[in-house]
Amino acid sequence: MNIDLFIKETKKIGIHLTQEQLNKLENFYNLLISWNKKMNLTRIINKEDVYLKHFYDSLTLFKVIDLTKEVTLCDVGSGAGFPGIVLKIVFPNLKITLIDSLQKRVNYLNEIIKELELINITAIHIRAEDYAKTHREEYDIVTARAVAHLKVLSELCIPLVKVNGYFVAMKANIEEEKEASKTILKKLDSNIEKIETFYLPIENSIRNIIKIKKLHQTNNIYPRLKIT
């Protein structure tokens, strides 16, 4: 996906990028590639592939949830910064917490935040299950992109979500995961409000965005499962 197509496709989902945002995405790409030579962040390094499979893919979250308001968002298992860093660049109004279990990745994320001069965004070295114990019902939106099984993610992420807030999982194929997650979603008093299924431009690989609404407090539920 070249820059022109990237701009065109993001417009189709309602995002109109400024030149400053495009410049920051370009800088982010260069920093990603530089850091990737020192540590394993992503196998996708071709510029057009990064813009398609990381940048555009991260922004498709806008298909299911309004990101234009001043809300709090936690990105669980942020890794190389997807979708968290991309969302912050394009929606600077968001107050974002990035969580990752590997200190090296958190160091990288903090350097990206510094280099791109991003504000109201923090990267924390902690496991999601530990973070959830002390930050219950703190966020309007919690995201996780291709991190673990939906059942595991739901148990880890939904406790972080405010009542009437959303956990939004970004996945590929989900049919088996959706069925296996019914019990835990019921225990967490949450339900799937929407599943947006679409195909990435150019390569036509399937994507699913699962929007889960938290209906009531779930203080009696504590994460038991672990992700890395």
Side-chain angles (χ1 to χ4, degrees):
M1 173 178 276
N2 60 35
I3 301 298
D4 289 340
L5 184 58
F6 177 67
I7 294 170
K8 180 181 177 181
E9 292 296 328
T10 51
K11 281 182 179 178
K12 287 182 181 179
I13 58 175
I15 297 172
H16 299 270
L17 297 164
T18 66
Q19 189 58 54
E20 180 183 3
Q21 289 167 343
L22 289 168
N23 291 343
K24 284 194 174 183
L25 287 170
E26 179 73 10
N27 290 339
F28 181 24
Y29 168 74
N30 291 329
L31 289 166
L32 171 68
I33 297 307
S34 177
W35 275 81
N36 202 57
K37 294 175 182 176
K38 297 179 280 187
M39 56 185 291
N40 183 27
L41 291 166
T42 178
R43 292 173 297 173
I44 301 168
I45 57 175
N46 176 273
K47 185 174 181 178
E48 293 193 354
D49 289 339
V50 170
Y51 269 77
L52 173 65
K53 299 178 182 179
H54 285 325
F55 291 0
Y56 174 80
D57 189 45
S58 293
L59 292 174
T60 58
L61 194 73
F62 194 58
K63 286 175 173 278
V64 303
I65 197 158
D66 185 4
L67 299 171
T68 62
K69 299 175 182 177
E70 190 171 303
V71 296
T72 54
L73 183 148
C74 182
D75 183 21
V76 173
S78 193
F82 309 117
I85 295 289
V86 178
L87 294 178
K88 184 61 187 178
I89 291 171
V90 176
F91 301 100
N93 50 284
L94 297 174
K95 296 180 180 179
I96 296 181
T97 303
L98 310 175
I99 294 175
D100 200 272
S101 63
L102 189 64
Q103 183 66 65
K104 289 192 300 182
R105 286 196 293 259
V106 171
N107 293 342
Y108 149 80
L109 290 168
N110 280 320
E111 190 62 27
I112 296 297
I113 290 167
K114 178 182 176 181
E115 289 289 332
L116 298 181
E117 299 181 336
L118 303 176
I119 61 173
N120 290 325
I121 180 170
T122 305
I124 300 173
H125 172 228
I126 193 169
R127 288 185 178 275
E129 60 271 17
D130 295 325
Y131 190 72
K133 293 174 184 177
T134 55
H135 293 79
R136 308 184 73 77
E137 298 181 347
E138 190 170 303
Y139 295 93
D140 299 298
I141 303 167
V142 176
T143 61
R145 178 177 179 259
V147 177
H149 194 287
L150 183 60
K151 178 181 176 181
V152 177
L153 288 175
S154 296
E155 188 170 4
L156 292 169
C157 295
I158 291 175
L160 292 167
V161 180
K162 293 178 181 179
V163 174
N164 293 319
Y166 291 96
F167 166 47
V168 187
M170 309 177 77
K171 308 283 289 181
N173 292 306
I174 59 157
E175 284 308 311
E176 290 184 9
E177 293 190 23
K178 183 175 69 172
E179 188 65 29
S181 302
K182 286 183 177 180
T183 299
I184 190 62
L185 289 177
K186 185 176 181 180
K187 286 182 178 179
L188 292 165
D189 207 355
S190 303
N191 68 275
I192 295 176
E193 187 171 283
K194 182 177 183 180
I195 298 177
E196 180 80 15
T197 301
F198 61 98
Y199 295 86
L200 279 185
I202 302 172
E203 67 170 38
N204 292 320
S205 56
I206 194 168
R207 293 292 188 272
N208 288 279
I209 304 178
I210 308 101
K211 183 182 181 183
I212 300 171
K213 185 172 184 177
K214 182 171 181 173
L215 303 175
H216 298 98
Q217 287 184 328
T218 53
N219 290 333
N220 60 322
I221 302 293
Y222 291 87
R224 295 177 291 100
L225 303 171
K226 294 185 177 182
I227 61 172
T228 57

